[in-house]
Amino acid sequence: MKVVIVGGVAGGATAAARIRRLDEQAEIVVFERSGYISYANCGLPYYIGDVITDPEELTLQTPESFFSRFRVDMKVRHEVTAIHPERKTVSVKNLETDEVFEESYDKLILSPGAKPTQPRLPGVGIDKLFTLRTVEDTFRIKEYINQNHPKSAVLAGGGFIGLELAENLRELGMDVTIVQRPKQLMNPFDADMASMIHSEMRKHGVKLALGYTVEGFEERNGGVDVLLKDNAPLHADMVVLAIGVTPDTALAREAGLELGIKGSIVVNDRMETSVPDIYAAGDAVQVKHYVTGEDALISLAGPANKQGRIIADNICGGDSRYLGSQGSSVIKVFDMTAATTGINETNARKAGLDVDTVILSPMSHAGYYPGGKVMTMKVVFEKGTYRLLGAQIVGYDGVDKRIDVLATAIHAGLKATQLKDLDLAYAPPYSSAKDPVNMAGFMIDNISKGLKQWHLHDADKLPRDGSVILLDTRTAWEYSSGHIEGFVNIPVDELRERLDEIEPGKPVYVICQSGLRSYIATRILEGYGHEAYNFAGGFRFYDAVVNDRALVESSFACGMDK
């Protein structure tokens, strides 16, 4: 059996190694357009920022080491230019010699990945405008920085690459601005959770120009003007386009393979394309979202590696199936960690799901043990069924392990109420006896048993005409330091003695700093016959989101986020 693989990074390299482990006799040829195989895309920004200093650390394997271990013929700087399914060959161009030849296959695997989205705008292509996708891109940016010592950069795009590159350029001492059309960074997060990412970016000196439309680029005064619709241009010494990626599927289109979202390759759960004996994996393929079952594009390394393994199993006589992508991801944002899995509240509502959320701010470990730090968790679930749909966490310590527990719970089909039952490891330096994931489960269990909540989007709609009671249960000092207009202050520890101030028959909307004291207050109020609603997230959460919204809107109106 002869297997030809187009693309030698995540999916392609994984498939090649797995095929060899399953079939010692197979002939395996990999064609990789760049000069590198099996490289760590996710590590590229950290080389630019000198966190990773040895360029060899970016590549997990070389063609020579891969051949030595697996006897796989890795041909770098070779571009497959056409697929001929009718005769089961591919046309290949050697980019170093310009030689063109055909290679036959019994099975063909397409793992071409995705390419940086290049908008058709004036100025795209000027030499101070970069993209970051390959090792060569990384070396090009690093060489420009080392030779020209730029003092400022504009990054067009606020996704994973944009944020990671912003951090690394700031660590090099550069003035950094992120500009993009959406009014929030990191679309996998809801806007309320993204506000905390915005705060961390601003804290470290990154300027945010959110809600701006880029219309082009011009070279001026030795740098680049980023032209903005209805606003003055942004000027910088260099610009990086990081507005997303597009499946690199021209080969598949020309060969007549069925295509899906944004031209991605349609595959079944065995990773087979519409053409016999051709498989596809990675950022180029359309997948099913594990939570919604809808078609999706999810460009992450984990799914690509799994898909490569599944293809290898099936080529070698097995029957492996890809169950879908869940979108679990984590990112370092300076000192902070932000992570997500499943779908967020925004996308759940767009999908027509009837959802609710809990928002909590637990400590990363036992409060009495030194060094604990607050994290903010948002868990999304379906009303009625309590199906667990997704989660987002932003914090400093312990974020990654909690998101992985929640990702596992979603994959296992646990109900959100069952989070309370998980038996999770505890010692004071690592967690609390009631782990944050358990706490989310307790809160959702309370809701399933009748506890009522109100949310951030309700705040402006609450009547101030006396028909409802608005109650802040923090201390008098906390209240005086900032509160929501119209809320009266009765500290929770004084509530039982001051119940005569709560008029019977009126709903009571309660808030505290984190949600705990207001929860206790709602229980007290319910115990005395009142209808009470607890605010999801607490005043700390409310204040962070509202302040961020004001900064984004004012910066948009004034021309820049300072």
Side-chain angles (χ1 to χ4, degrees), residues 373-394:
K373 296 182 179 178
V374 172
M375 66 179 75
T376 300
M377 297 175 60
K378 181 175 185 178
V379 180
V380 185
F381 58 95
E382 189 172 34
K383 289 182 180 178
T385 67
Y386 292 92
R387 180 164 68 109
L388 190 57
L389 300 175
Q392 301 152 65
I393 311 178
V394 179

Side-chain angles (χ1 to χ4, degrees), residues 10 53 85 138 172 200 202-204 396 438 448 457 489 562:
T53 55
T138 309
L172 293 177
E200 186 74 4
R202 294 188 188 104
K203 174 182 170 184
H204 287 86
Y396 296 91
N438 294 138
S448 74
H457 56 76
N489 179 223
K562 300 298 182 186

Side-chain angles (χ1 to χ4, degrees), residues 43 62 180 255 265-266 310 320 360 422 473 484 503 519 555:
T62 65
Q180 64 170 21
I265 302 170
V266 173
I310 287 167
S320 291
L360 59 157
L422 294 177
T473 60
I484 305 175
E503 187 175 343
Y519 163 65
S555 71

Side-chain angles (χ1 to χ4, degrees), residues 125-239:
I126 60 180
D127 61 4
K128 295 180 180 66
L129 185 65
F130 302 90
T131 58
L132 179 57
R133 183 67 178 175
T134 67
V135 175
E136 285 90 346
D137 293 337
T138 309
F139 291 160
R140 196 174 301 117
I141 293 172
K142 188 64 175 172
E143 182 180 9
Y144 179 82
I145 291 172
N146 289 342
Q147 291 182 355
N148 297 278
H149 307 290
K151 293 182 171 57
S152 59
V154 169
L155 310 180
F160 286 95
I161 291 293
L163 265 65
E164 290 169 345
L165 193 53
E167 176 180 345
N168 281 279
L169 295 180
R170 280 296 295 151
E171 296 294 344
L172 293 177
M174 294 174 63
D175 184 77
V176 178
T177 301
I178 295 178
V179 58
Q180 64 170 21
R181 185 181 302 166
K183 290 188 177 181
Q184 71 161 87
L185 303 174
M186 295 297 292
N187 281 334
F189 291 79
D190 287 314
D192 51 11
M193 296 296 288
S195 67
M196 296 169 202
I197 299 174
H198 297 173
S199 177
E200 186 74 4
M201 298 296 281
R202 294 188 188 104
K203 174 182 170 184
H204 287 86
V206 177
K207 299 182 182 73
L208 304 180
L210 306 178
Y212 292 77
T213 300
V214 176
E215 293 196 320
F217 309 91
E218 288 181 357
E219 291 192 81
R220 186 176 68 85
N221 294 340
V224 183
D225 273 353
V226 180
L227 308 179
L228 304 177
K229 182 178 181 180
D230 300 327
N231 281 278
L234 298 171
H235 185 78
D237 295 332
M238 62 182 290
V239 175

Side-chain angles (χ1 to χ4, degrees), residues 2 28 104 131 137 196 237 242 288 544 558:
K2 181 177 180 181
I28 308 168
S104 64
T131 58
D137 293 337
M196 296 169 202
D237 295 332
K288 295 292 183 184
C558 299

Side-chain angles (χ1 to χ4, degrees), residues 191-335:
D192 51 11
M193 296 296 288
S195 67
M196 296 169 202
I197 299 174
H198 297 173
S199 177
E200 186 74 4
M201 298 296 281
R202 294 188 188 104
K203 174 182 170 184
H204 287 86
V206 177
K207 299 182 182 73
L208 304 180
L210 306 178
Y212 292 77
T213 300
V214 176
E215 293 196 320
F217 309 91
E218 288 181 357
E219 291 192 81
R220 186 176 68 85
N221 294 340
V224 183
D225 273 353
V226 180
L227 308 179
L228 304 177
K229 182 178 181 180
D230 300 327
N231 281 278
L234 298 171
H235 185 78
D237 295 332
M238 62 182 290
V239 175
V240 181
L241 281 178
I243 58 176
V245 293
T246 303
D248 191 358
T249 55
L251 274 176
R253 180 182 297 107
E254 291 165 6
L257 276 65
E258 182 183 353
L259 302 180
I261 302 170
K262 293 185 179 179
S264 57
I265 302 170
V266 173
V267 293
N268 60 18
D269 60 357
R270 286 171 49 87
M271 307 310 297
E272 296 167 324
T273 71
S274 59
V275 174
D277 296 320
I278 301 181
Y279 299 76
D283 295 354
V285 305
Q286 174 179 291
V287 297
K288 295 292 183 184
H289 196 290
Y290 186 80
V291 175
T292 66
E294 296 179 350
D295 294 333
L297 286 179
I298 298 179
S299 299
L300 294 168
N305 279 280
K306 294 182 187 74
Q307 292 159 11
R309 178 186 174 94
I310 287 167
I311 290 172
D313 287 351
N314 293 330
I315 282 177
C316 295
D319 185 24
S320 291
R321 307 277 173 161
Y322 188 65
L323 301 179
S325 294
Q326 200 168 299
S328 301
S329 57
V330 63
I331 183 171
K332 178 182 179 293
V333 184
F334 292 98
D335 300 326

Side-chain angles (χ1 to χ4, degrees), residues 528-555:
Y528 286 91
H530 293 278
E531 180 185 353
Y533 296 80
N534 185 28
F535 179 68
F539 184 80
R540 171 184 169 274
F541 179 76
Y542 170 90
D543 196 45
V545 177
V546 170
N547 285 337
D548 176 68
R549 286 178 180 171
L551 281 172
V552 172
E553 292 301 328
S554 65
S555 71

